[in-house]
């Protein structure tokens, strides 16, 4: 419960019933302020009845209209008839297995999970009780999901139905199946309702009045964008990394501009099918850049889509008023992003067929442990279960935001009055993309306070809250690197021949200022036993990412000296 004084200011923007950084319970932040605004917009009100030491009761009223049209008919299965269903989950990625197991167990199914196709075959042969269903990942080392399913269907007289669950498109999966029959094919990340639909379909249950058109539209969106040439306007390195990987891995060509002015210069020189525009950037923000674009007759029809961590209705109206066609919210929802892009962007040179088959991974997929303060499941979903990319984003978040307080205070002294708001906005966006939700919420409150020109005392108080949430996350990310390094050093031996080959390749590419050096560096960084050089590899990677090849060569000299000294 709360005192009358606390209740009186509870619905004020960004207030904290207890503003200390070590408070036992979080303050109101944005949630109650938004709730108050929503209820008022719907002709109602929200209030609280509270007594200190006893508790609180929140109530609200609102007026709702009837939704026009036919009920969508979401299937409501009779779960009791499926209770006791035995399901085998096969996926080499531990995080992906855990997500599927959690969903399946919530349906009261009996679940066994394994990390490879060979183990799955052995389990099916040795199990005293048969399995009713198998959920199979596609891309796995040694024996992929297609070959494992083929073996299941050849070896057993009554093989269980198999659902393929893949991070790649349904069409690619069907093309690669080579005649192997699947009960259903689902795309990651899998929602519980979608997974249940797939199970019912695989088991032969009729799905009555379920509208799959939206799901199919989402799955087709990325395919229809292949071959598109897109200009990504984004100043933050973490957001650049994430967007580049998601777009290029789905067949979209991307060029990057670091601010609005740079985007205008690139549009003068090159032709693009569409623009993804961040809104808050230094030099020239996305709003001004879009207004400049629309003033030119040749760009009247050029699709410009905002990518912003601001998702309230007023923010969307501001985006449209500036001349943008639509907006994509951060943190990124992959399906929503591709669906929105496909709505506006048409490739000038579309790619009608998949030009490259995904290479099978020869190494076991990297796993991400549970990290206090970070929702790793959300982060992995945003990166399409790409653990390597996710770990890279976590590292960049740590390195770029660990001194956020100093960055923010420097922004307060900047001649640009928007600089503090932009700093908080950036933290909010990148925290959301890695799943650091408490940091994201605290940064959102700080951003809003800056935008509303709140008193310095209020801003300092909110900055303390941000630091209280951010510091343990940064510490955890530093610890994960230390633990990973310790494990590698203890268990792995260096392959000196291969390491020297990679060092020679890396030097040749760096001397030619070739960005392909990053690919060689990634392989080198992933070699067993190289974690002992984590610090110099980190500096080397940073130099390559910034295209500072001269500095990268200096770091490579240091790395070679260290390697020779072992």
């Amino acid at each position: 419960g709360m005192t009358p004084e606390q209740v009186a200011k509870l619905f004020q923007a960004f207030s904290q019933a207890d503003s200390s950084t070590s408070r036992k319970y979080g303050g109101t932040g944005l949630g109650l302020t938004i709730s108050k605004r929503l209820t008022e917009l719907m002709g109602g009100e929200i209030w609280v009845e509270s007594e200190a030491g006893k508790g609180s009761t929140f109530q609200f009223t609102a007026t709702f209209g009837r939704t026009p049209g036919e009920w969508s008919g979401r299937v409501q299965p009779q779960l009791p008839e499926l209770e006791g269903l035995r399901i085998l989950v096969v996926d080499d990625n531990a995080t992906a297995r855990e997500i599927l197991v959690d969903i399946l167990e919530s349906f009261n199914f009996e679940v066994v999970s394994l990390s490879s196709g060979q183990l799955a075959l052995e389990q099916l042969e040795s199990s005293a009780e048969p399995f009713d269903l198998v959920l199979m990942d596609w891309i796995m080392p040694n024996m992929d999901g297609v070959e494992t399913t083929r073996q299941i269907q050849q070896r057993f007289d009554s093989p269980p139905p198999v659902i393929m669950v893949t991070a790649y498109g349904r069409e690619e999966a069907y093309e690669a199946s080579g005649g192997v029959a699947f009960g259903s094919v689902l795309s990651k990340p899998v929602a519980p309702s979608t997974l249940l639909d797939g199970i019912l379909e695989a088991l032969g249950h009729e799905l009555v009045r379920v509208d799959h058109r939206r799901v199919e539209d989402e799955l087709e969106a990325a395919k229809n964008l292949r071959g598109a040439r897109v200009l990504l306007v984004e100043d933050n390195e973490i957001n650049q990394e994430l967007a580049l990987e998601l777009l290029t891995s789905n067949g979209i060509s991307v060029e990057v501009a670091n601010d609005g002015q740079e985007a205008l210069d690139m549009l003068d020189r090159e032709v693009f099918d569409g623009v993804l525009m961040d809104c808050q950037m230094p030099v020239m923000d996305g709003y001004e850049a879009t207004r400049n674009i629309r003033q030119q007759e040749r760009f009247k029809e050029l699709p410009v889509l905002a990518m912003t961590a601001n998702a309230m209705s007023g923010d969307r109206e501001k985006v449209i008023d500036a001349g943008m066609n639509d907006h994509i919210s951060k943190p990124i929802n992959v399906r929503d992003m591709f669906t929105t892009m496909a709505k506006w962007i048409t490739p000038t040179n579309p790619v009608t067929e998949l030009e490259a088959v995904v290479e099978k991974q020869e190494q076991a997929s990297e796993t991400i442990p549970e990290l206090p303060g970070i929702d790793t499941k959300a982060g992995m979903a945003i990166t399409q279960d790409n653990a390597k990319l996710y770990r890279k984003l976590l590292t960049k978040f740590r390195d770029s935001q660990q001194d956020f307080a100093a960055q923010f205070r420097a922004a307060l002294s900047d001649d640009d009055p928007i600089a503090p708001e932009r700093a908080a906005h950036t933290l909010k966006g990148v925290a959301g993309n890695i799943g650091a939700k408490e940091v994201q919420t605290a940064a959102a409150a700080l951003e809003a306070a800056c935008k509303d020109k709140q008193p310095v005392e209020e801003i300092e108080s909110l900055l303390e809250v941000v630091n209280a949430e951010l510091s343990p996350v940064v510490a955890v990310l530093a610890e994960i690197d230390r633990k990973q390094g310790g494990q590698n050093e203890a268990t792995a031996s260096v392959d000196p021949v291969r390491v020297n080959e990679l060092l020679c390749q890396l030097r040749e590419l760096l001397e030619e200022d070739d960005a392909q050096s990053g690919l060689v560096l990634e392989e080198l960084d992933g070699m067993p036993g190289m974690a002992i050089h984590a610090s110099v590899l980190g500096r080397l990677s940073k130099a390559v990412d910034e295209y500072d090849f001269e500095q990268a060569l200096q770091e490579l000299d240091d790395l070679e000296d260290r390697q020779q000294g072992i």
Side-chain angles (χ1 to χ4, degrees):
M2 293 170 285
T3 65
E5 291 77 18
Q6 290 172 329
V7 170
K9 62 180 182 179
L10 192 63
F11 292 95
Q12 296 176 12
F14 322 115
S15 68
Q16 302 283 350
D18 174 6
S19 60
S20 67
T21 57
S22 59
R23 63 187 186 277
K24 184 176 180 182
Y25 302 107
T28 61
L30 289 167
L32 288 176
T33 303
I34 295 171
S35 298
K36 183 174 185 292
R37 178 66 175 145
L38 288 173
T39 54
E40 290 172 350
L41 286 170
M42 292 190 289
E45 60 179 328
I46 186 170
W47 69 94
V48 60
E49 298 170 356
S50 184
E51 185 177 346
K54 289 191 175 181
S56 306
T57 302
F58 287 82
Q59 301 178 62
F60 76 92
T61 60
T63 301
F64 296 88
R66 285 186 177 273
T67 302
E70 186 179 349
W71 178 51
S72 61
R74 166 56 58 191
V75 65
Q76 295 292 330
Q78 297 297 315
L79 286 179
E81 71 185 62
L82 300 180
E83 284 185 4
L85 203 67
R86 296 194 76 230
I87 299 179
L88 178 62
V89 174
V90 187
D91 197 315
D92 61 313
N93 185 288
T95 302
R97 289 200 307 275
E98 181 181 352
I99 291 171
L100 288 173
V101 169
D102 286 347
I103 295 173
L104 293 168
E105 288 182 342
S106 73
F107 295 144
N108 296 321
F109 298 153
E110 181 182 345
V111 187
V112 175
S113 63
L114 297 170
S115 60
S116 72
Q118 185 58 48
L119 289 175
L121 292 172
E122 294 172 2
Q123 177 70 38
L124 289 168
E125 289 177 341
S126 62
S127 178
E129 188 175 356
F131 286 90
D132 302 297
L133 184 69
V134 179
L135 297 185
M136 183 76 66
D137 185 35
W138 175 13
I139 305 299
M140 295 187 292
N142 301 322
M143 183 186 297
D144 67 13
V146 172
E147 180 56 32
T148 305
T149 304
R150 181 179 287 109
Q151 294 284 336
I152 290 173
Q153 294 174 352
Q154 289 176 351
R155 292 189 188 187
F156 301 97
D157 294 333
S158 300
V162 178
I163 297 176
M164 176 177 281
V165 186
T166 173
Y168 306 96
R170 289 165 58 101
E171 293 298 323
E172 290 90 324
Y174 281 123
E175 290 170 7
S177 64
V180 174
F182 292 102
S184 182
V185 176
L186 303 178
S187 294
K188 297 178 183 178
V190 180
S193 59
T194 306
L195 179 56
L196 187 57
D197 283 353
I199 291 172
L200 291 169
E201 179 183 355
L203 295 176
H205 289 260
E206 184 179 1
L207 302 183
V208 181
R209 295 202 304 155
V210 177
D211 185 359
H212 289 292
R213 287 176 297 176
R214 182 175 179 272
V215 175
E216 294 297 333
D217 287 346
E218 291 170 349
L219 296 173
E220 287 295 309
K223 180 179 178 180
N224 293 337
L225 287 165
R226 290 180 192 154
R229 194 160 190 269
V230 171
L231 176 60
L232 172 66
V233 190
E234 169 67 63
D235 66 308
N236 181 266
E237 184 181 356
I238 297 174
N239 292 334
Q240 286 179 3
E241 182 90 35
L242 174 60
L244 273 171
E245 179 67 27
L246 294 177
L247 294 170
T248 56
S249 65
N250 284 279
I252 300 169
S253 174
V254 187
E255 296 292 333
V256 178
N258 294 286
D259 58 65
Q261 183 57 58
E262 191 174 320
L264 293 175
D265 295 340
M266 294 180 70
L267 285 168
D268 279 338
R269 300 191 305 265
E270 304 176 52
V271 177
F272 296 93
D273 297 312
V275 179
L276 300 180
M277 181 75 74
D278 185 30
C279 291
Q280 298 210 24
M281 296 177 290
V283 183
M284 181 186 293
D285 66 22
Y287 303 112
E288 183 179 352
T290 303
R291 284 190 286 268
N292 275 275
I293 290 171
R294 293 303 185 216
Q295 288 172 5
Q296 303 181 54
E297 188 63 33
R298 56 183 172 151
F299 296 139
K300 290 291 186 183
E301 303 300 323
L302 177 67
V304 179
L305 307 176
M307 293 189 73
T308 173
N310 294 337
M312 297 298 288
S313 61
D315 298 308
R316 188 179 188 281
E317 291 166 2
K318 188 177 179 181
V319 161
I320 301 301
D321 289 344
M324 302 187 208
N325 300 84
D326 210 331
H327 95 297
I328 298 166
S329 297
K330 298 176 185 174
I332 292 172
N333 178 299
V334 179
R335 286 182 173 176
D336 288 347
M337 178 180 73
F338 285 129
T339 302
T340 303
M341 288 178 65
K343 179 180 176 182
W344 299 100
I345 297 174
T346 301
T348 302
N349 299 302
V351 176
T352 56
E353 297 181 2
L354 189 64
E355 294 181 335
V357 177
V358 180
E359 294 182 4
K360 296 179 183 180
Q361 299 176 11
E362 296 300 328
Q363 303 178 32
S365 295
E366 184 179 359
T367 59
I368 302 294
E370 290 187 6
L371 302 173
I374 300 176
D375 185 344
T376 55
K377 290 182 180 178
M380 286 289 286
I382 288 170
T383 59
Q384 290 187 306
D385 284 335
N386 186 332
K388 186 175 183 180
L389 171 61
Y390 186 42
R391 183 177 285 275
K392 197 171 185 180
L393 295 183
L394 291 173
T395 301
K396 288 192 173 184
F397 178 87
R398 178 200 65 203
D399 294 343
S400 65
Q401 302 300 321
Q402 59 186 346
D403 59 346
F404 173 77
Q407 295 178 37
F408 184 80
R409 290 199 168 94
L412 288 173
S413 304
D414 197 288
D415 293 335
D416 182 358
I418 306 299
E421 179 185 340
R422 189 166 57 241
H425 177 85
T426 296
L427 176 60
K428 177 181 72 173
V430 296
N433 280 335
I434 67 165
K437 296 181 178 179
E438 287 79 9
V439 176
Q440 180 187 9
T441 300
L446 180 60
E447 177 194 11
C450 293
K451 185 176 182 179
D452 292 343
K453 304 294 189 294
Q454 293 289 324
V456 174
E457 295 78 11
E458 178 70 11
I459 290 176
E460 282 291 337
S461 176
L462 291 170
L463 179 59
E464 289 182 6
V465 176
V466 170
N467 281 334
E469 300 292 357
L470 179 60
S471 296
V473 169
V474 170
V476 162
L477 294 179
E479 184 70 11
I480 187 180
D481 275 1
R482 188 189 68 78
K483 287 182 177 179
Q484 183 74 14
Q487 291 169 358
N488 288 346
E489 291 162 22
T491 62
S493 59
V494 177
D495 179 352
V497 175
R498 182 55 182 158
V499 168
N500 286 332
E501 288 176 354
L502 292 173
L503 290 172
C504 290
Q505 291 178 30
L506 184 57
R507 180 170 293 281
E508 290 177 2
L509 292 168
L510 291 175
E511 288 175 345
E512 296 174 0
D513 294 347
D514 193 331
Q516 293 295 315
S517 55
L519 299 176
V520 178
L521 180 56
E522 286 184 4
E523 183 179 351
L524 183 65
D525 191 23
M527 289 286 291
M530 291 302 289
I532 194 172
H533 302 309
S535 59
V536 66
L537 283 168
R539 295 194 302 271
L540 180 53
S541 177
K542 184 174 186 294
V544 171
D545 286 344
E546 295 174 353
Y547 301 101
D548 188 348
F549 297 108
E550 184 176 344
Q551 179 63 34
L553 283 167
Q554 294 179 21
E555 300 295 349
L556 180 58
D557 290 339
D558 186 13
L559 177 60
E560 289 178 334
D561 290 342
R562 291 168 181 255
Q563 181 64 18
Q564 290 173 4
I566 295 179

